[in-house]
Amino acid sequence: MAKQIKIFDTTLRDGEQSPGCSMNLAEKLEVARQLERLGVDVIEAGFPISSPDDFAAVQAIAGIIEHCTVAGLARATKEDIDKAYEAVKDAKHPRIHTFIATSDVHMEYKLKMTPEEVITRIHDMVSYAVGFGVEVEFSAEDASRTDRDFLLRAVNTAIDAGATVINIPDTVGYAMPEEMADLIRFLKHNIHKADEIELSVHCHNDLGLGVANSLASIGAGATQIECTINGIGERAGNASLEEIAMNLVTRHDYFDAKCNINTKQIYRSAQLICSITGVPLSPTKPITGANAFAHEAGIHQHGVLCNRSTYEIMSPESIGIPQNKMVLGKHSGKHAFADRLQSLGYTLSQDALVKAFDRFKRLADKKKIVSDRDIEALIGATNSGEEQPEQVKYVRYAIMSGNTIDSTVVVTLEIDGKEQEFTARSNGPIDACYRAIEGMLHSEAVLDTYGLQSVTEGIDAQAVVFVKMSKNGDTVTGRGLSTDIIEASIKAYLSALNKLL
Ligand code: KIV
Ligand code: ZN
């Protein structure tokens, strides 16, 4: 019987905590719904004490998720645990995830506590959390750099106090796969109630070994893996969920282990996180990067044409990369469009469908062939296809630009129902557009990052622009899509501003 591995997703906590990856409430709910579709076992929805927004997000996620366990993170203090309990208590399957550091360096310099004080705190706080009658996970932060005997004592204290999930984090991404495996084997042989406890690992990627360490731990007996979509997370990130899942599927012969991930939802999940965070994937990123299934060299192309298995160990279909079965274009009707959306796994309300069809028609006027990737991009970050309400709407722009002259642009916007236009000039076309918008709105928001990607190949490809903007400590992401890169840039800027305003 293949071993069952639980997937604990921390995209919304460790992932969201990483610089540039923050999400608003609507975005977090969208991600949580997608994680449920993806089939993760546990969603770590946030760190409720860290801010009122985080608390509200965990509570809202707990209210909508049906099948997954919803976990809230808490340091080993009563205040943190109270908040985490309040936030997750209405979930169908609530979990409090409490942690304290156990390595010498953390105890001495960060916690300023003695080892004995840490043991007492683990006993008291795990007991306190268990008292709420929900499932309790205990993490020994920096476990991989902790003295083994002390780690065993800490873990057994947590188990005796009622924790049923024990997590062993490689907090600073320091462990080597064989060391991690050895540690897990040691714990598996020595912890109390070894057969009843879910033994988990949480591996960071500082040395690029997050996934390797997680997989080595599975081989050694770990039954829960903590990971994130696209591997986002503190510093170099966490182990990537999609890489772990596809290793288990592709090398089932090696691991003899399985998980509940619906691999066909992997591509969509990765795209959703890119759109929301504005953090693009490297083209060579395993599984989901743009080149992961591209065969460039002649010899490879020839081999793949003869038989895909010559150079492909996984199929793009298996991770849900849309394959164009039937071409859609400007003569395609609403039924064909709705059918395609359905086969891509979208369920849109009537109103969202009408709007999406209108966007599709406008695109089909510009592009001969509308691919499934174009349609995915049109539906956008929200799987429901709903558009965010806009206070400021883009109407049109006109520009004169060249490499030997400044760019002069007239941007027309609809602000509170009235059209307004503004002219601006700068040495670049995008900067000129953004100055024109600022000339009308005086938002004083700061543009932190700007990124441009093409959705498909070809001269008529759509461009997607992501921007990050901030004002008074709030940072938001904006996304704009068009076959015209200047228009895509204006739309991205306005989508961010509409969130900030
Ligand atoms: O990396 C880490 O140690 C953590 C813990 C809170 C689990 O994120
Ligand atoms: Zn972490």
Side-chain angles (χ1 to χ4, degrees):
M1 260 270 273
K3 256 195 321 187
Q4 185 68 36
I5 303 300
K6 294 230 166 103
I7 298 292
F8 175 114
D9 179 276
T10 183
T11 306
L12 290 168
R13 199 277 298 168
D14 219 331
E16 207 259 346
Q17 191 169 303
S18 67
C21 287
S22 55
M23 306 176 204
N24 64 29
L25 178 62
E27 291 164 342
K28 286 182 183 175
L29 289 171
E30 196 60 44
V31 171
R33 286 194 195 95
Q34 180 57 26
L35 291 172
E36 187 154 55
R37 260 180 239 127
L38 179 64
V40 309
D41 299 283
V42 185
I43 298 176
E44 184 162 57
F47 190 4
I49 199 146
S50 66
S51 72
D53 281 353
D54 231 44
F55 178 86
V58 178
Q59 198 172 42
I61 290 168
I64 61 159
I65 292 300
E66 294 280 326
H67 306 293
C68 318
T69 295
V70 176
L73 185 69
R75 285 165 298 192
T77 69
K78 281 193 173 171
E79 299 70 37
D80 277 42
I81 292 170
D82 287 344
K83 275 273 182 216
Y85 173 69
E86 270 306 304
V88 299
K89 68 174 198 259
D90 292 330
K92 294 254 160 43
H93 311 282
R95 181 183 290 184
I96 296 173
H97 175 194
T98 187
F99 73 100
I100 192 165
T102 49
S103 64
D104 287 345
V105 63
H106 275 238
M107 289 191 291
E108 183 177 346
Y109 296 107
K110 186 181 83 173
L111 298 176
K112 301 189 189 340
M113 287 170 78
T114 64
E116 288 314 311
E117 284 168 340
V118 168
I119 294 290
T120 307
R121 182 73 73 84
I122 294 170
H123 170 268
D124 292 351
M125 290 306 114
V126 172
S127 309
Y128 183 68
V130 168
F132 285 108
V134 299
E135 193 172 45
V136 174
E137 169 169 340
F138 170 73
S139 282
E141 193 188 7
D142 207 16
S144 56
R145 294 194 300 167
T146 297
D147 172 82
R148 268 196 187 190
D149 292 333
F150 184 68
L151 180 63
L152 181 62
R153 237 185 109 200
V155 162
N156 277 335
T157 305
I159 294 172
D160 294 345
T164 52
V165 185
I166 294 295
N167 182 40
I168 306 299
D170 181 26
T171 302
V172 291
Y174 181 74
M176 292 291 126
E178 195 36 54
E179 283 175 329
M180 200 66 198
D182 199 49
L183 179 58
I184 295 304
R185 265 190 300 268
F186 165 77
L187 291 171
K188 193 90 193 158
H189 283 126
N190 292 291
I191 56 172
H192 299 164
K193 304 188 188 163
D195 293 334
E196 294 158 45
I197 296 297
E198 201 80 74
L199 192 54
S200 169
V201 294
H202 173 114
C203 300
H204 278 270
N205 207 25
D206 299 64
L207 292 172
L209 294 172
V211 169
N213 284 337
S214 306
L215 294 172
S217 304
I218 290 177
T223 50
Q224 175 181 281
I225 301 295
E226 303 199 353
C227 46
T228 61
I229 306 286
N230 297 349
I232 63 170
E234 285 278 359
R235 307 178 309 278
N238 289 60
S240 120
L241 182 150
E242 56 283 1
E243 292 173 32
I244 288 163
M246 288 315 285
N247 267 279
L248 294 185
V249 171
T250 312
R251 295 306 310 273
H252 187 261
D253 60 320
Y254 181 85
F255 290 105
D256 195 22
K258 58 184 176 29
C259 63
N260 290 328
I261 294 297
N262 172 1
T263 62
K264 292 211 159 171
Q265 290 291 334
I266 284 181
Y267 178 76
R268 170 144 338 139
S269 309
Q271 292 299 313
L272 179 68
I273 296 303
C274 288
S275 326
I276 288 179
T277 60
V279 178
L281 291 177
S282 148
T284 52
K285 160 89 174 60
I287 318 296
T288 42
N291 293 354
F293 294 95
H295 303 280
E296 192 68 31
I299 293 179
H300 290 203
Q301 287 176 348
H302 174 69
V304 169
L305 287 175
C306 294
N307 187 318
R308 298 196 79 88
S309 65
T310 49
Y311 286 98
E312 257 181 30
I313 56 166
M314 304 165 268
S315 70
E317 292 89 338
S318 68
I319 64 154
I321 295 185
Q323 303 298 302
N324 287 323
K325 302 247 159 43
M326 193 177 75
V327 168
L328 292 187
K330 69 187 214 179
H331 300 298
S332 307
K334 196 151 136 213
H335 278 302
F337 179 68
D339 268 4
R340 180 58 60 85
L341 284 181
Q342 206 178 14
S343 70
L344 289 172
Y346 291 109
T347 330
L348 268 59
S349 68
Q350 221 18 58
D351 188 40
L353 178 63
V354 170
K355 287 185 181 147
F357 185 61
D358 182 53
R359 293 201 294 277
F360 162 74
K361 278 293 191 192
R362 277 186 271 137
L363 176 63
D365 273 341
K366 294 187 182 148
K367 265 191 107 189
K368 251 209 288 227
I369 294 173
V370 179
S371 73
D372 286 350
R373 264 147 74 201
D374 285 317
I375 295 177
E376 294 249 356
L378 273 185
I379 303 301
T382 60
N383 271 301
S384 55
E386 301 292 346
E387 288 175 335
Q388 301 286 326
E390 290 174 331
Q391 197 178 324
V392 180
K393 290 197 172 97
Y394 162 69
V395 180
R396 73 185 88 85
Y397 82 95
I399 195 160
M400 191 171 68
S401 186
N403 64 337
T404 52
I405 54 166
D406 273 355
S407 305
T408 306
V409 67
V410 185
V411 176
T412 309
L413 303 180
E414 188 187 301
I415 304 170
D416 296 328
K418 272 223 259 49
E419 274 195 20
Q420 285 187 32
E421 62 181 34
F422 202 88
T423 304
R425 184 173 156 173
S426 174
N427 55 8
I430 312 283
D431 189 48
C433 292
Y434 290 179
R435 282 170 192 256
I437 295 171
E438 270 311 295
M440 284 179 267
L441 299 179
H442 308 288
S443 77
E444 286 169 23
V446 176
L447 176 68
D448 299 320
T449 60
Y450 171 96
L452 169 79
Q453 273 173 271
S454 119
V455 173
T456 53
E457 304 75 29
I459 195 79
D460 59 355
Q462 294 191 91
V464 59
V465 171
F466 292 111
V467 296
K468 241 180 225 146
M469 300 188 62
S470 49
K471 187 176 173 181
N472 302 333
D474 278 344
T475 301
V476 294
T477 315
R479 176 181 183 273
L481 185 72
S482 171
T483 48
D484 170 334
I485 58 171
I486 296 180
E487 186 169 70
S489 305
I490 295 175
K491 286 180 174 174
Y493 195 83
L494 287 177
S495 99
L497 277 185
N498 271 309
K499 290 182 193 168
L500 277 177
L501 288 174

